[in-house]
Amino acid sequence: MRTLGLIGGMSWQSTLNYYREINLAVEAELGGLHSAKIILHSVDFAQIEALQRSDNWTELGDILLNTALGLQSAGAQCIVICTNTMHKVADTIQQGCSLPLLHIADATGKELIGDNIKKVGLLGTRFTMEQDFYTSRLVEHFGIEVLTPNAIQRNTVHRIIYDELCIGKIRDESRTQYLAIIDDLVKQGAQAVILGCTEIGLLVNQQDTEVPLYDTTLIHAKAAVEFAVHRDQ
């Protein structure tokens, strides 16, 4: 079994889910007392969020690259960035670190294509919804059309992530707002909706709606287990 290198803490709320889901999947695959071989570097999210807010992606790239190199030195055999937003600096990590990076948008795109989804709605941080580092990868690599909420809705989605979900606040009112936004995306033609922030699954899941939801935390964790358990056979 290969050793996974996780860059977590963005936020730690969703990193908990990564650790749990990866280990549950390894246990299901291998049985018995098996658990995943993981090296986790959890960053201080307050520092990361401040740099995001100030649009300092160069320094953010340096921080995550150095983190990836540290994981490599510790014996990790791949890099898993446990957040959608920070895949904005994925190219910096791939260029500076020789380990394979398991890209969350690629894992999600493969799931969508496998289910014949051609047009999808995207929820995430404002960075993920408004910048092209994520959506362009789905369009160019997988031919998937991506719809995002309107400006007011994007602000709502972003605010709830940072002000509530990242600090463990789960509010029914916020769930209702998210579900209304999901319904609007479906009215625009979305066949499904990507939960494109690793915290969103803490608030909304498939039991809340008939609209197919693609939880990127679960999808990314599944891809990590595939790498760890099967690609060395």
Side-chain angles (χ1 to χ4, degrees), residues 28-43:
E29 287 273 352
L30 302 179
L33 296 176
H34 282 289
S35 56
K37 296 169 67 177
I38 291 173
I39 303 171
L40 167 65
H41 184 132
S42 188
V43 302

Side-chain angles (χ1 to χ4, degrees), residues 98-173:
S98 61
L99 294 180
L101 186 148
L102 307 185
H103 201 292
I104 197 168
D106 290 348
T108 303
K110 289 173 185 176
E111 291 279 334
L112 291 166
I113 289 298
D115 292 340
N116 200 33
I117 302 295
K118 304 289 182 62
K119 192 172 186 177
V120 68
L122 173 64
L123 302 182
T125 66
R126 190 181 296 114
F127 312 109
T128 301
M129 292 186 289
E130 295 181 355
Q131 300 179 21
D132 68 353
F133 68 91
Y134 195 94
T135 56
S136 65
R137 200 164 183 111
L138 293 175
V139 173
E140 295 169 9
H141 290 202
F142 301 97
I144 297 169
E145 183 179 353
V146 181
L147 302 175
T148 56
N150 63 42
I152 294 173
Q153 292 171 330
R154 291 196 302 270
N155 286 336
T156 297
V157 172
H158 183 91
R159 177 188 58 76
I160 289 171
I161 290 169
Y162 280 87
D163 293 351
E164 298 176 18
L165 303 182
C166 286
I167 57 175
K169 286 185 179 180
I170 309 299
R171 301 174 65 241
D172 290 340
E173 178 184 349

Side-chain angles (χ1 to χ4, degrees), residues 19 28 49 54-56 81 98 100 105 108 131 148 160 167 170 173 182 189 193 197 225-226 228 232:
Y19 189 81
E49 188 276 334
S54 63
D55 206 30
N56 192 343
I81 308 172
S98 61
T108 303
Q131 300 179 21
T148 56
I160 289 171
I167 57 175
I170 309 299
E173 178 184 349
I182 287 170
V193 172
C197 173
V225 172
E226 175 70 19
D232 58 347

